Amino acid sequence: EFELADYSILEKIGEGSFSEVFRVKHTRTGQFYAAKKLTKLYFDPAEALQDSEIRVMKMLDYHPNVLSFVDILHDEATGNLSLIMELMDMSMYDYIKNRKRCLSEKRVKRYLYQMVCGLNHLHRNGIFHRDIKPENVLIKIPRKLKENELVQLADFGSICSTSQQPPYSAYISTRWYRSPECLLTSGYYGPKMDIWAIGCCFYEMLTLNPLFPGENELDQLYLIHEIVGSPSAAMLAKFRHLNQLDYDFPKRKPTNFRSLIPLLSHYGVDVLNRTLAYFPEARISAARLLQHLYFEDVSKSSKSSRLSSSSMPCLDEADLRSKNSSRKTSKNSPQSACSLDRRSNGSSSVGSVTAKQKLTMEMMKHKNLERVWGMNESPGKARLVQQIHTSRLCNS
């Protein structure tokens, strides 16, 4: 039976091809989290460090719209690797699948803006997701009035670095959200494939129906051409390394998105056109999309309430100075990575911050992986921490 040190497993809340997700409770703080138990076993700690989701955490600063880990548990005896994450309420797919009425455009715009913010954070750090879809977008419903939903990108099992050179894996991304360059070439694509998927998600959130529900790759291309138009010979010639097939597509003129969603605003239609451009170089970037006039009202609201919209506040300056001082005095100790756990064991607090809140804040504040091993001391974890420190020293 699956067990986690320092956590009580309450129920299974999800399952995929490569992992199972459980709702868990930290036994000391009483905080609820999601535990993602990977199907793949890692008996070698060094190999566990190379897991794609852990590599993402090593590369990224914290961002409110990118799912972050608060603990990582590796059991060398069983090979189990479990990632402890903030507990969100549901996926966007679950949120919209049984709705009878469509979401308002205003609400969808808020969700889309947060998705693009998270995506821009990935792209700025040289990472593209490769599997954006409603199932991999998580949402937390506010418990108080006048609070907005929190939306996060999740599931980084397919991520790819822009420093790698194509061809990449040819079979990637879920078919319905796969961009033309993924369908037409043998792995010659890039971050713009994520923008295409964002456009597909935007349409699906507005209408509650997928835009391109193809039954196979050829049917997928047919549906794409029915909406955005078929590519000309000159357009196809721009794609590098086309698959060796006879692409003699029937000529199709693009369908105006206005006819598909009559009540969508002018700028909303423009966002669909720019995110679902057939040729990737003509597709808008995440950074440019955030500057689109469509998001003008949302971005102003977001800037004024960014801290309050996130459930993960930052440490105050006094606590940061105290923490930095503590790290300096313990940097030579093999247990320094576990100091978070020991400090939060007492009943003292900074100002009105409780010990439980302080523990959560400290775990979420620091991008480096030392933060995520503070709750559970074990020889296997200590070795992983040591390897991370050694890796950083070599790279610095």
Side-chain angles (χ1 to χ4, degrees):
E1 186 178 345
F2 176 53
E3 293 182 353
L4 285 175
D6 289 344
Y7 294 89
S8 300
I9 299 175
L10 304 179
E11 59 179 331
K12 181 189 285 190
I13 56 177
E15 185 173 2
S17 302
F18 306 106
S19 63
E20 295 176 298
V21 182
F22 299 86
R23 183 169 173 264
V24 300
K25 182 179 181 180
H26 190 254
T27 52
R28 190 174 65 255
T29 67
Q31 290 277 74
F32 293 96
Y33 297 99
K36 182 176 183 177
K37 176 180 172 286
L38 304 186
T39 305
K40 184 177 179 179
L41 301 180
Y42 294 93
F43 294 99
D44 180 2
E47 186 184 2
L49 277 175
Q50 299 307 310
D51 177 78
S52 59
E53 302 205 48
I54 293 181
R55 286 191 286 116
V56 168
M57 291 303 299
K58 292 169 67 176
M59 297 170 66
L60 292 178
D61 287 312
Y62 166 75
H63 191 281
N65 303 122
V66 175
L67 186 65
S68 188
F69 305 144
V70 298
D71 202 357
I72 297 178
L73 305 177
H74 177 242
D75 188 333
E76 196 170 345
T78 64
N80 285 331
L81 182 62
S82 301
L83 314 176
I84 309 299
M85 307 170 289
E86 184 189 7
L87 183 64
M88 302 292 278
D89 287 325
M90 65 190 79
S91 71
M92 189 63 70
Y93 170 78
D94 290 324
Y95 185 58
I96 66 176
K97 68 177 181 180
N98 293 322
R99 292 186 64 89
K100 302 295 188 227
R101 296 178 59 187
C102 293
L103 298 167
S104 69
E105 183 180 353
K106 184 177 180 181
R107 180 180 293 188
V108 170
K109 187 195 298 188
R110 291 201 307 267
Y111 299 167
L112 182 66
Y113 180 76
Q114 293 186 63
M115 290 167 61
V116 179
C117 283
L119 183 62
N120 184 50
H121 184 62
L122 296 183
H123 286 187
R124 281 192 300 114
N125 285 275
I127 296 170
F128 55 110
H129 191 284
R130 297 204 299 180
D131 197 18
I132 289 177
K133 57 183 177 179
E135 290 89 336
N136 289 340
V137 177
L138 303 182
I139 183 169
K140 178 175 280 188
I141 309 299
R143 302 293 184 262
K144 299 179 182 178
L145 293 174
K146 297 185 178 180
E147 285 188 355
N148 288 331
E149 300 88 340
L150 175 66
V151 175
Q152 294 183 335
L153 298 183
D155 197 338
F156 304 105
S158 299
I159 62 105
C160 187
S161 171
T162 54
S163 63
Q164 297 174 239
Q165 295 298 313
Y168 306 110
S169 172
Y171 188 81
I172 200 68
S173 177
T174 304
R175 186 192 311 120
W176 293 359
Y177 309 91
R178 203 172 291 163
S179 62
E181 63 269 25
C182 294
L183 295 164
L184 294 172
T185 73
S186 299
Y188 286 83
Y189 51 78
K192 291 294 184 70
M193 68 175 292
D194 290 341
I195 299 296
W196 177 275
I198 284 285
C200 294
C201 290
F202 181 31
Y203 179 92
E204 192 163 341
M205 290 188 294
L206 287 167
T207 66
L208 310 183
N209 294 304
L211 180 56
F212 305 119
E215 297 182 0
N216 52 57
E217 292 204 350
L218 284 177
D219 187 45
Q220 190 69 26
L221 283 169
Y222 173 81
L223 293 178
I224 289 173
H225 296 165
E226 285 288 302
I227 301 298
V228 302
S230 56
S232 64
M235 172 74 73
L236 286 174
K238 293 181 180 180
F239 284 90
R240 290 190 304 151
H241 304 278
L242 279 174
N243 292 323
Q244 299 300 312
L245 296 174
D246 181 18
Y247 288 122
D248 185 17
F249 297 121
K251 291 186 178 181
R252 293 283 187 273
K253 291 184 178 180
T255 301
N256 193 323
F257 283 109
R258 167 74 60 216
S259 65
L260 296 177
I261 316 177
L263 298 181
L264 184 60
S265 66
H266 170 76
Y267 286 133
V269 171
D270 191 61
V271 166
L272 283 173
N273 286 324
R274 290 176 182 270
T275 55
L276 295 170
Y278 198 93
F279 188 58
E281 298 303 319
R283 225 169 283 151
I284 194 170
S285 68
R288 291 290 300 274
L289 185 53
L290 287 177
Q291 299 171 5
H292 196 286
L293 284 173
Y294 186 59
F295 295 120
E296 186 175 25
D297 56 335
V298 183
S299 59
K300 287 180 180 178
S301 172
S302 176
K303 288 176 183 177
S304 64
S305 62
R306 184 166 293 163
L307 290 177
S308 63
S309 67
S310 171
S311 62
M312 303 167 220
C314 297
L315 294 171
D316 61 23
E317 291 184 7
D319 197 28
L320 279 172
R321 286 195 296 269
S322 171
K323 186 191 73 61
N324 289 335
S325 174
S326 172
R327 287 184 66 166
K328 287 178 181 177
T329 58
S330 61
K331 67 180 179 180
N332 295 323
S333 166
Q335 299 298 327
S336 63
C338 300
S339 59
L340 278 177
D341 183 55
R342 293 194 293 272
R343 284 205 308 276
S344 61
N345 232 349
S347 58
S348 62
S349 62
V350 178
S352 61
V353 180
T354 66
K356 183 169 73 172
Q357 289 172 326
K358 183 179 176 182
L359 174 63
T360 303
M361 288 190 290
E362 290 199 18
M363 287 191 300
M364 300 310 299
K365 173 64 180 175
H366 309 288
K367 76 167 184 175
N368 294 330
L369 280 181
E370 294 98 310
R371 69 174 188 186
V372 297
W373 274 291
M375 293 179 120
N376 175 33
E377 301 182 24
S378 70
K381 186 189 298 184
R383 282 192 290 274
L384 285 171
V385 172
Q386 184 59 44
Q387 288 194 37
I388 290 173
H389 279 293
T390 304
S391 167
R392 288 215 185 96
L393 288 173
C394 293
N395 292 331
S396 61

